[in-house]
Amino acid sequence: MRLLRVGAPGQERPALLDEDGRLRDLSGLIDDLDASFLATHGIRRLAEVPAAELPVLATEGLRIGPPLRPGKIVCIGLNYRDHAAETGAALPTEPVVFLKAPDTVVGPEDMVLVPRGSTKTDWEVELAVVIGRTARYLSSVDEAMHCVAGYAVAHDVSEREFQLERGGQWDKGKSCETFNPLGPWLVTADEVPDPQALRLRLWVNGDLRQDGTTANMVFPVGEIIRYLSQFMVLHPGDVINTGTPAGVALGQPEPKPYLVAGDVVELEIDGLGRQRQEVGQA
């Protein structure tokens, strides 16, 4: 299934994209796509409802919001071999973990804002993993994969000066407002037989900047979930951003082409949909 939320910010309603590309209203069946929905086997319950019985939504002028209201957002840094190489970093021996504020999440076509004082706002296309059941002290990758509710496209926007040159943790270069466009859909796990066989691409102003594959991850999805469960409890509705392939502005020669107001970023992952954001100024 491809699940999404549509409507004005803060007023989104849950919906389903059927096999014919029509938008179906889920608001008569569920309150929202969130932790409660996932924790009560909501995906399994929806799978039993024929899509043809759901009301069709008119799409003209309808905003697509983020596909769920997330809990915490856990991110993995330097998780692609080519990205580590382009930034001059050694491959990590354990996952590099940082947190991103949940209120950074916006819709896949909402504006991304360059923070005030920023000169190094960067792009990162990433595979987002949505947790569907509680994960704590998992003992195997197989057990970890059973905790996946689905996948989505994430744009892990980053401010490199704030992240790398201002001391402390990475979080303050990652948690600026609008820094995590998510969606357009939550694609359920059964629709993605191999999350390590997905192509990721990102364009800036029409120029292809990133073109990678999840096969190039240092730590695959199942190992990331297993690993994280040793240090924190993952709950239904939590999101994991699993890292980005090569091609970010940080890895380019000087002058590095960081984002500025007026730029347009487009990104996609095989089978998970496409995003487009105009860049503005905070």
Side-chain angles (χ1 to χ4, degrees):
M1 286 186 293
R2 295 177 180 179
L3 304 174
L4 64 162
R5 298 166 70 246
V6 297
Q11 302 176 31
E12 296 93 345
R13 66 169 66 179
L16 177 150
L17 189 69
D18 70 18
E19 293 182 356
D20 297 319
R22 287 173 296 195
L23 207 57
R24 301 281 183 167
D25 189 359
L26 293 175
S27 59
L29 297 178
I30 61 175
D31 292 331
D32 206 348
L33 299 171
D34 55 11
S36 176
F37 165 77
L38 294 170
T40 55
H41 310 291
I43 290 176
R44 187 171 66 194
R45 288 185 284 111
L46 282 183
E48 298 172 354
V49 178
E53 296 181 2
L54 299 170
V56 175
L57 285 170
T59 59
E60 184 175 357
L62 190 62
R63 169 184 174 267
I64 298 177
L68 79 157
R69 292 194 293 121
K72 60 181 171 288
I73 302 174
V74 187
C75 303
I76 308 299
L78 298 173
N79 196 36
Y80 282 71
R81 293 173 179 85
D82 55 358
H83 175 55
E86 74 172 345
T87 59
L91 287 181
T93 57
E94 295 190 39
V96 175
V97 179
F98 60 94
L99 296 177
K100 193 162 191 168
D103 62 6
T104 59
V105 171
V106 294
E109 298 189 356
D110 290 345
M111 181 171 284
V112 165
L113 297 176
V114 173
R116 295 178 186 179
S118 166
T119 60
K120 296 182 179 181
T121 296
D122 206 348
W123 57 81
E124 297 187 49
V125 58
E126 304 206 5
L127 173 66
V129 179
V130 178
I131 298 298
R133 63 177 67 180
T134 302
R136 60 188 302 273
Y137 298 114
L138 301 177
S139 60
S140 70
V141 168
D142 285 346
E143 192 177 5
M145 293 303 292
H146 281 98
C147 295
V148 177
Y151 302 91
V153 181
H155 187 183
D156 178 24
V157 187
S158 306
E159 212 298 336
R160 301 303 190 185
E161 180 188 356
F162 299 175
Q163 176 190 356
L164 302 172
E165 301 174 33
R166 298 288 296 273
Q169 301 297 311
W170 285 11
D171 301 47
K172 63 177 176 276
K174 297 284 189 172
S175 290
C176 306
E177 61 180 332
T178 73
F179 264 28
N180 204 135
L182 189 66
W185 315 311
L186 166 60
V187 179
T188 53
D190 59 299
E191 300 281 346
V192 184
D194 185 1
Q196 306 308 142
L198 301 174
R199 185 181 183 188
L200 312 86
R201 290 183 290 180
L202 181 145
W203 297 259
V204 180
N205 299 327
D207 295 329
L208 182 63
R209 293 292 189 176
Q210 292 184 275
D211 188 357
T213 170
T214 54
N216 199 29
M217 284 184 181
V218 179
F219 303 101
V221 168
E223 174 57 19
I224 290 170
I225 297 169
R226 186 208 66 79
Y227 179 87
L228 291 175
S229 77
Q230 312 306 308
F231 303 96
M232 64 184 76
V233 179
L234 299 173
H235 296 283
D238 287 350
V239 172
I240 304 171
N241 288 345
T242 56
T244 197
V248 299
L250 178 65
Q252 305 301 309
E254 298 288 353
K256 300 182 189 297
Y258 289 114
L259 295 172
V260 296
D263 286 341
V264 175
V265 183
E266 298 170 276
L267 53 153
E268 67 180 17
I269 300 178
D270 288 349
L272 303 185
R274 187 177 179 95
Q275 299 186 0
R276 182 186 184 278
Q277 295 109 33
E278 295 182 8
V279 178
Q281 181 65 54

